[in-house]
Amino acid sequence: MILTINDADLDVELLGGDDPTKPLLIAHHGAPGLGSRAEPELAFGPLSDLFRVLVFDARGSGKSSDTPPYTHEQWVADVDALREWAGAETFVMAGGSYGGFISMEYAVRHPQRLRALVLRDTSADHEHNDLAIANARASDRVDIDEDRLMRMMEGRIRDDADFRESWRELLPLYDYEYDPAQLDARVASVDYHFATHNAAFSENLHHYDLKPRLGEITCPTLVTVGRTDWITPVSCSETIAGLIPEAQLVVFEKSGHSPPREEPELFQRTVRDFLVRHALS
């Protein structure tokens, strides 16, 4: 369904029925301008037997409208408006990659709202960008075009066609086991919004650093990451887990940037067990 949220038209799907007594889980996708609700639906949709699982295309991504501003403050406000629309006083917040940034931002701004927090392959500050650039340069999977890499990582993409080709070049880095036969389909499956990406990488990331505030998060927190994640490496998740009180860290040994896709059974079991213990009591 299309909902008008804070003046933007968002493509939203609510899985698990509309019973308001069933706990709510809101899952935020990563990759502003590239991501869509398909990613959190894969990761958290299987929990719809226990939760109402709300997935959506954030403003400036997927099928949602290109309605600025593309800021952390606005994306957090959109999450809270979706919570209110769903009629939930408290809920589980989940997010992967850049969606993890927004999830942690929400947690420090609205701590009273969260029953639990689930993070996947994310970072508490912008320093992962330098690690990612070094990992891309060192990889033997890709023949990196240095200018294109830096325009991607610094938010200087020229247009949607340039965005598409830059994404194609970097995609082989994301998987633990890369299958080149899937490349064309994965590139074609994306709705490209270069302006959203540029805002996120040229503006937002420069002042993104939640490390001083992570100690304020008091809800149960699960931090997950793939062992060979190139863009938000394991060290980033270790930092998060070390700063959030009593956070649980799980490393998926045969995954890159997407354990829900690469080790689905283990990921589902890990998240389900955590949420049954900490968010359903």
Side-chain angles (χ1 to χ4, degrees):
M1 70 187 86
I2 299 296
L3 297 179
T4 300
I5 299 292
N6 296 329
D7 299 320
D9 295 329
L10 304 187
D11 190 6
V12 177
E13 185 171 7
L14 187 61
L15 309 168
D18 57 4
D19 179 359
T21 66
K22 198 174 183 181
L24 179 69
L25 185 154
I26 298 179
H28 204 296
H29 66 76
L34 279 173
S36 74
R37 60 185 172 84
E39 171 227 306
E41 183 172 351
L42 174 71
F44 301 103
L47 294 165
S48 61
D49 61 324
L50 300 177
F51 297 89
R52 292 181 296 149
V53 178
L54 192 156
V55 295
F56 66 105
D57 295 346
R59 65 175 63 219
S61 294
K63 304 298 184 186
S64 292
S65 63
D66 290 325
T67 306
Y70 308 129
T71 63
H72 290 195
E73 291 79 7
Q74 185 61 64
W75 283 321
V76 167
D78 292 346
V79 169
D80 202 49
L82 286 167
R83 172 200 62 77
E84 187 173 7
W85 170 83
E89 289 297 316
T90 62
F91 69 104
V92 174
M93 183 77 222
S97 196
Y98 205 107
F101 303 174
I102 306 306
S103 298
M104 287 182 282
E105 293 266 19
Y106 189 96
V108 299
R109 292 171 187 266
H110 302 284
Q112 76 282 5
R113 295 294 185 190
L114 293 190
R115 302 166 71 105
L117 177 65
V118 180
L119 304 171
R120 177 195 63 73
D121 297 87
T122 191
S123 177
D125 60 27
H126 61 270
E127 294 181 5
H128 71 280
N129 232 33
D130 290 337
L131 298 174
I133 291 168
N135 287 337
R137 288 170 175 162
S139 175
D140 59 4
R141 283 190 182 178
V142 292
D143 184 15
I144 288 292
D145 179 301
E146 184 69 17
D147 177 65
R148 181 174 286 158
L149 171 67
M150 294 312 297
R151 285 190 292 103
M152 186 77 162
M153 303 305 285
E154 294 176 352
R156 295 185 287 109
I157 294 296
R158 296 164 181 158
D159 52 31
D160 285 344
D162 185 36
F163 200 13
R164 179 188 179 100
E165 291 310 305
S166 300
W167 179 236
R168 174 186 288 275
E169 184 168 284
L170 293 177
L171 256 175
L173 298 173
Y174 281 83
D175 297 338
Y176 179 77
E177 294 182 352
Y178 170 57
D179 181 2
Q182 297 182 5
L183 182 62
D184 287 346
R186 291 174 69 179
V187 171
S189 70
V190 173
D191 291 298
Y192 295 89
H193 303 252
F194 82 98
T196 313
H197 169 86
N198 284 351
F201 279 74
S202 70
E203 300 169 20
N204 300 346
L205 281 185
H206 286 303
H207 53 81
Y208 173 64
D209 184 358
L210 285 179
K211 295 194 304 297
R213 299 200 62 186
L214 291 187
E216 301 171 23
I217 297 177
T218 57
C219 67
T221 301
L222 174 65
V223 184
T224 68
V225 63
R227 175 61 71 186
T228 63
D229 187 344
W230 77 280
I231 193 165
T232 49
V234 171
S235 60
C236 299
S237 287
E238 290 174 337
T239 296
I240 294 169
L243 292 172
I244 297 178
E246 300 184 19
Q248 178 183 343
L249 173 65
V250 179
V251 179
F252 292 83
E253 298 295 338
K254 295 183 178 180
S255 292
H257 192 59
S258 183
R261 183 169 54 81
E262 298 187 271
E263 296 182 78
E265 292 182 3
L266 181 57
F267 183 83
Q268 293 302 325
R269 185 167 65 250
T270 300
V271 175
R272 181 176 292 265
D273 288 351
F274 174 82
L275 291 177
V276 166
R277 283 185 287 113
H278 294 292
L280 293 179
S281 57

